[in-house]
Amino acid sequence: MLSRIRGFIVLIQFSITVGIVIVLMYTFRNHTHKVIKGWMKIQMYLLGIKLEQVGKLDESCDMVVLNHQSLLDIIVMEYIHPRNLAWIAKKEITDLVFFGHIIKAPRMISVDREDKAGVIKLLKDCKDRLSQGRPIAVFPEGTRSTGKRMLSFKPGAKMIANKFNLKVQPAIIINTREILDSKSLKQKPGKVKVIYLDPVQADKKTDWFEKLEEDMNRVFNEEKDS
């Protein structure tokens, strides 16, 4: 019951603060990253998150891939990563009447998975953000899992990384769904564990992406079974 009450409070808090953040990002167009970082720090505090990191984040990588269970995954990675990440988001989020500006204002990347021509725009947008020194952040599963197991990887991340010859930083995030389940609207304080795997160089001549999927699944399953 308490977790549902906290979830409802979080929903109200998000609705208010996201609106404020959107206004600030449009007001201070050259400082959108600072606005986002500030909001993420506030969320980490309000949600009662304790962070444990295993391994080392390679800040030189121009792509970050991570498993997806909760909205909290984005908050945690934005809080951790010092660079201005360009997240790939579903067009359905971008099309939301007001809250879609949380994607538009900081110039994240919107992708229409139903439109074949959308691939051309996706690659063009990725090239643009990379030219600005922004790493691409993507959930290779394509959508949120239940947190019990990882979903099969979609080919999008592989295509982008191969196209631009990117160095990829894989990360596994544990326990975010237990802390913030946006589907059942439950929230409770807790510890999030982030495990960094060794960076991988994308190469279309190798099976690096398939190997990466195996490695990420192995680490995730070991953590869930421990």
Side-chain angles (χ1 to χ4, degrees):
M1 182 64 180
L2 181 58
S3 63
R4 287 191 179 275
I5 294 173
R6 290 182 64 93
F8 183 69
I9 293 172
V10 168
L11 177 63
I12 296 173
Q13 182 262 117
F14 271 12
S15 299
I16 295 171
T17 58
V18 166
I20 295 171
V21 166
I22 289 171
V23 171
L24 288 174
M25 285 193 291
Y26 278 121
T27 303
F28 303 100
R29 293 294 289 163
N30 295 326
H31 302 284
T32 55
H33 185 223
K34 290 182 180 179
V35 173
I36 291 173
K37 292 291 284 186
W39 187 74
M40 297 307 177
K41 288 179 181 179
I42 292 171
Q43 294 308 314
M44 292 288 286
Y45 173 76
L46 292 179
L47 296 175
I49 299 169
K50 294 182 179 179
L51 190 62
E52 177 186 356
Q53 299 183 66
V54 178
K56 183 176 176 58
L57 171 68
D58 189 334
E59 298 174 13
S60 71
C61 290
D62 283 316
M63 175 176 276
V64 179
V65 297
L66 57 159
N67 60 306
H68 194 22
Q69 307 168 48
S70 164
L71 170 65
L72 187 53
D73 302 324
I74 298 173
I75 294 174
V76 169
M77 187 51 64
E78 280 284 0
Y79 174 79
I80 292 171
H81 209 294
R83 296 174 67 188
N84 187 10
L85 297 174
W87 291 87
I88 296 179
K90 294 182 291 187
K91 187 175 181 290
E92 293 89 330
I93 299 175
T94 312
D95 288 344
L96 292 174
V97 174
F98 179 74
F99 291 104
H101 289 281
I102 201 67
I103 304 297
K104 297 173 185 175
R107 301 192 72 236
M108 300 303 181
I109 299 170
S110 176
V111 58
D112 185 351
R113 293 182 294 190
E114 303 301 320
D115 182 8
K116 293 182 179 180
V119 173
I120 298 173
K121 183 180 182 300
L122 172 63
L123 293 174
K124 181 180 177 181
D125 288 345
C126 287
K127 182 179 180 180
D128 175 74
R129 305 309 186 270
L130 289 165
S131 71
Q132 298 172 17
R134 298 181 64 182
I136 306 300
V138 60
F139 297 114
E141 295 165 283
T143 190
R144 282 174 288 186
S145 72
T146 62
K148 296 179 180 179
R149 63 180 181 84
M150 289 178 60
L151 304 176
S152 298
F153 284 9
K154 307 296 184 186
K158 177 182 179 180
M159 175 187 66
I160 295 166
N162 282 343
K163 174 68 176 178
F164 300 109
N165 195 35
L166 301 182
K167 185 179 177 184
V168 180
Q169 171 65 73
I172 294 293
I173 299 186
I174 302 295
N175 207 40
T176 51
R177 189 180 180 91
E178 285 74 12
I179 294 175
L180 179 60
D181 188 338
S182 50
K183 288 188 176 181
S184 63
L185 202 60
K186 293 181 179 180
Q187 198 278 319
K188 62 181 180 180
K191 183 176 74 173
V192 172
K193 187 174 184 178
V194 182
I195 305 170
Y196 303 108
L197 282 67
D198 292 336
V200 179
Q201 177 59 53
D203 185 344
K204 62 180 66 177
K205 297 179 181 179
T206 71
D207 61 349
W208 70 272
F209 191 69
E210 291 73 20
K211 180 66 165 56
L212 177 62
E213 182 175 5
E214 291 178 6
D215 289 344
M216 290 181 68
N217 269 280
R218 174 181 53 78
V219 172
F220 179 84
N221 291 333
E222 288 175 354
E223 283 296 318
K224 296 302 290 185
D225 293 339
S226 63

